[in-house]
Each structure stands twice: as structure tokens, then as C-alpha cells.
Amino acid sequence: MMKLKTKKRLTNVAQAIFFLLGGIEYAVVLPTLNEYLGSLDGDATFFGIVMAAFSFSGVLTSPLYGLFQDRFHRTKILILFANLFEIAGNFLYFVGGTKYMLLGSRLVSGVGAGVGSSIFAQISRTSTEKGRASALSTASGARQIGLLLGPALNFPLNSLDFYIGPFHVNKFSGPGILMCILYVVLEFVVLFLFYDIPPLDKQDIILAAEENSALSPPSGNVAIVDVFLKEEVLVLLTAQFVFMFNQTCLETAVTVMTKNLLDFGGIENSILFAVAGFELLASFIIIKCISKFISDRTMLFASVTLELVPYIMLMIFYPHATPGRSQNLWWFSILFIIQVSGLGFLLISIVSLFSKVTPPEMQGFAQGVRRAVGGIGTIMGPLWAGGMQNIPFETLAIMMALFLLVWMMSLMSWKLLRPHSEVAAETSQASCKEDSKEETKPLLNGDVKDYGVA
């Protein structure tokens, strides 16, 4: 019988491959999606709708996946099921034909991507609080490696020009068939390598006895509404929304921005995303090294502060910029490096701290809600990006104001933004001290002389 440690290692590999393919899909689809839609009479507005469609289906499905995971702890079945939608969605993207087919393809693919919330829930349940940020950074790091591999794959994809039966394989449809094949491979990877690891509190028993018995989910009757009305939870959900809203808005606008100001095409944008991938990967490696020494709330506050800087720069330079690489490349490069440098720290701090302020027995649903709230942001972000062309200063001002709101909320809720286990431990220690004081108090209060002892 396979040991638990071996199962955990194999499961980590399968999880990493899942997130790796998510990064590859994003990196091979985004650089050419706008041109693909343009060839099918899709305008910039429709491009924003297609970008939002992927997130929309994820918003609807993430909490449902989470509820199933909380109830049955069967993450493997969920991934195998959800991955079928990724296969179907990418095949539809390959077939193309009309702009509405592309819209439908991203909707279907988003249903499959929504299962990521269940994987985050399993990571949260099976890792210690101190090691959680490190475990999450490994998963997120795998996605960034995918973002690096994606642009490299774009070079051969750009040269494709042949037919498979009636289907034309070119630089537009190529990403669809490539991802379809890769997600078929993922189905077998999950089937043979992924295991439903039991919760952390059950692992010591299994490691000691080296038995793999069926475990029932933890008991409890958690008031769901009360959980999501807690101040610290609301702060983190707000941070999740703002992060995804602003980020997808910038990602949607960046290809238009680089085209107008720097005359970048698909190849240049692919290189740009590759640079971002390298920078993010480096940040995840740093997080893995320092996460045991720096608290999640410190990482959150510092990254939000850092993210304010590029928005200020954009408000200063972008509204008045004229086309030309010589005058725009320097400020664009600086704000690009600063903006990307804070993303990894912001993402990991939100996910890690959120898992520590919500009950372990409802991690699946909680992570699903977090992902859904972020999904709403990714729906609204691409739509908001349209304002970058007409009213850039006002559009950027609102985005900066949202980050400033999160900054203020984090500061005002500082004492609450920490793991509930720490709060419980401090409460327990305080209670013990009070009990100790009570025990040391004299039974008779007052001067002993009053009782004729002196």
C-alpha cells in the first residue's frame, strides 16, 4: 500500500500541472484573441465580453465545486469532471468560425477552471498555517511557469498554416487544439497521480499507523452567514475583488496600450508577458523563503502599498502620452516592473490569510466564494478597460481609489487580520492567567490584624 507521504508528493505534482496548464492557456490565448475576434468581425467591446465570459462561468461554478468538496472531500472526481469542460471549451475555440463560437468556448472553459477553488481548499486543509503560504506559492508558481512557457509556444503557433479535415489550423485556432490536447493529458495525470489527501488533523494518525482508512469529514454546524459577515473576512473579500478587477482591467488594456504607444504586436506582447512571468516566478520563490518569517497581513499591507505606485504613474503619464517608443518605453517599463512585482505577494497573502480566518470544515465553499468574488472583478475589469481610451485619467483614478480603500481597510482592521488560531491561543493564555490569579488570591480579603492573627 502506498504511503501517505508518497501520495502527497504525487498529488503536489498533479496540482502543479493543473496550474501550469492554466498559465499556458492564458499566455497562448490572450496575445492573439483580439486579432482572432477581429478576423470574425468582433470589435473591442466584444473582446472585453469574451474576456469576461471565462470569469463569469467561474463565478457560478466555484462555490458549487466548493460545496461538493466540503461535503464529500472528493477533489479528484471534481477535477476529472471539470477538466472535461476545459477540453470541450478549447476544442470549440479551435473550431471557431464565428465570434459567438469563441464567446461560447470561453464560457465552457471557465466552468472547468472554476475547480481551482477546490484545489486551494485541499491545500488549505492539508498544510500547516506556517507552511500554507509556501504551499500556495508553489501552486501559484507553477501557473507562472506556464505563463513563461506560453509565449515560447506562441512562436511555433504563429507559423501554423494547414488543415485537419475541414478545420484550418493557424495562429488563431492553434492555441485551442494545443490546449485541448494538453487537457486530455491532464485527465490521465489526475487519474493516476492525484489523491484525496485527508485533513491535517487526521494525517498524524495515518502517518503513525501507515493506514489509509476512510475518514469522515469533520463535524460542525457553522453559521455560514456569520462567517462572511466578520470584519476580517469582508476586508479580504474586498481585497480579492479589487485585485482581480484592477488586474484584469490592466491586462485587457495593455495590448491596446502597447499597440498605440509602443507599436507592439503579438510577438512583442508575448515577450512582455514572458517577462512578467519571470518576475512573478521570482516573487513566488521569495515568498516561499520568507513566508515563515513574515505574517500574511504584513505581506498584504506592503503589497497594496506597492501597487498604488504604478497607478499614480499611469495617471501622470498615460492620459497625455503620444505614440513613440523613445518617449514612452522608459516610464512604461518602470511602472510595469513595479506593478508586477507586487502581484505575487498580494495574491498569496489574500489566499493564505483567508484560509486562516474561515473555518477548516468549510474551506471548499469559502474558497469558492473568494474565487467567485474575484471572478466578479474579472468580469467587470475588462468591461471597465474600455474607459482607458476615452477617459483614461478618470478610469485610472477610480482604480487607484479602490486600492486606497483596501489599504485603509487593512490598516483599520489590522488587529483582526491574523489567523483565528492565534486569537484563540491568546484568549486561552489570558484565561489561564486569570485563573492563576484567582488561585493565588487570599481566601479572606482584608488585614490579618482584623482577625486577631497578628
Side-chain angles (χ1 to χ4, degrees), residues 431-443:
S431 178
C432 290
K433 288 181 179 179
E434 288 297 324
D435 291 342
S436 177
K437 288 180 181 178
E438 289 293 333
E439 290 176 1
T440 56
K441 283 183 179 179
L443 293 176

Side-chain angles (χ1 to χ4, degrees), residues 27-233:
V28 298
V29 167
L30 184 61
T32 56
L33 177 58
N34 194 21
E35 291 183 76
Y36 196 1
L37 286 169
S39 69
L40 300 173
D41 297 325
D43 56 15
T45 301
F46 199 80
F47 172 61
I49 294 173
V50 173
M51 286 285 291
F54 182 84
S55 302
F56 176 74
S57 51
V59 167
L60 299 179
T61 57
S62 289
L64 298 178
Y65 286 133
L67 284 172
F68 184 93
Q69 208 266 359
D70 286 337
R71 178 67 180 85
F72 300 104
H73 289 193
R74 300 294 299 275
T75 312
K76 180 174 183 175
I77 294 296
L78 282 176
I79 298 174
L80 291 172
F81 171 75
N83 195 48
L84 296 176
F85 288 92
E86 284 281 15
I87 295 170
N90 279 283
F91 184 76
L92 289 175
Y93 190 90
F94 162 65
V95 173
T98 67
K99 61 181 182 181
Y100 298 105
M101 181 74 81
L102 295 189
L103 174 62
S105 74
R106 298 311 289 164
L107 277 170
V108 174
S109 293
V111 174
V115 79
S117 61
S118 297
I119 299 179
F120 279 127
Q122 172 152 311
I123 293 174
S124 299
R125 282 198 178 101
T126 58
S127 60
T128 62
E129 286 191 349
K130 286 188 176 181
R132 190 162 305 159
S134 176
L136 291 170
S137 66
T138 300
S140 300
R143 188 176 188 277
Q144 301 316 311
I145 294 175
L147 288 173
L148 293 177
L149 292 176
L153 293 172
N154 273 333
F155 288 103
L157 288 175
N158 280 329
S159 62
L160 295 179
D161 188 13
F162 62 92
Y163 284 85
I164 300 178
F167 304 120
H168 187 197
V169 183
N170 56 22
K171 66 177 181 179
F172 298 140
S173 62
I177 191 62
L178 170 66
M179 295 312 305
C180 184
I181 294 170
L182 290 178
Y183 278 116
V184 169
V185 173
L186 177 63
E187 196 79 353
F188 289 99
V189 170
V190 173
L191 185 63
F192 293 109
L193 297 185
F194 194 96
Y195 292 89
D196 292 310
I197 306 299
L200 193 64
D201 58 347
K202 304 292 184 182
Q203 290 183 24
D204 291 337
I205 301 173
I206 296 176
L207 288 170
E210 282 299 341
E211 295 176 355
N212 189 24
S213 56
L215 298 170
S216 59
S219 59
N221 185 17
V222 179
I224 295 178
V225 176
D226 291 341
V227 169
F228 290 104
L229 289 180
K230 289 182 180 294
E231 181 178 330
E232 59 271 29
V233 175

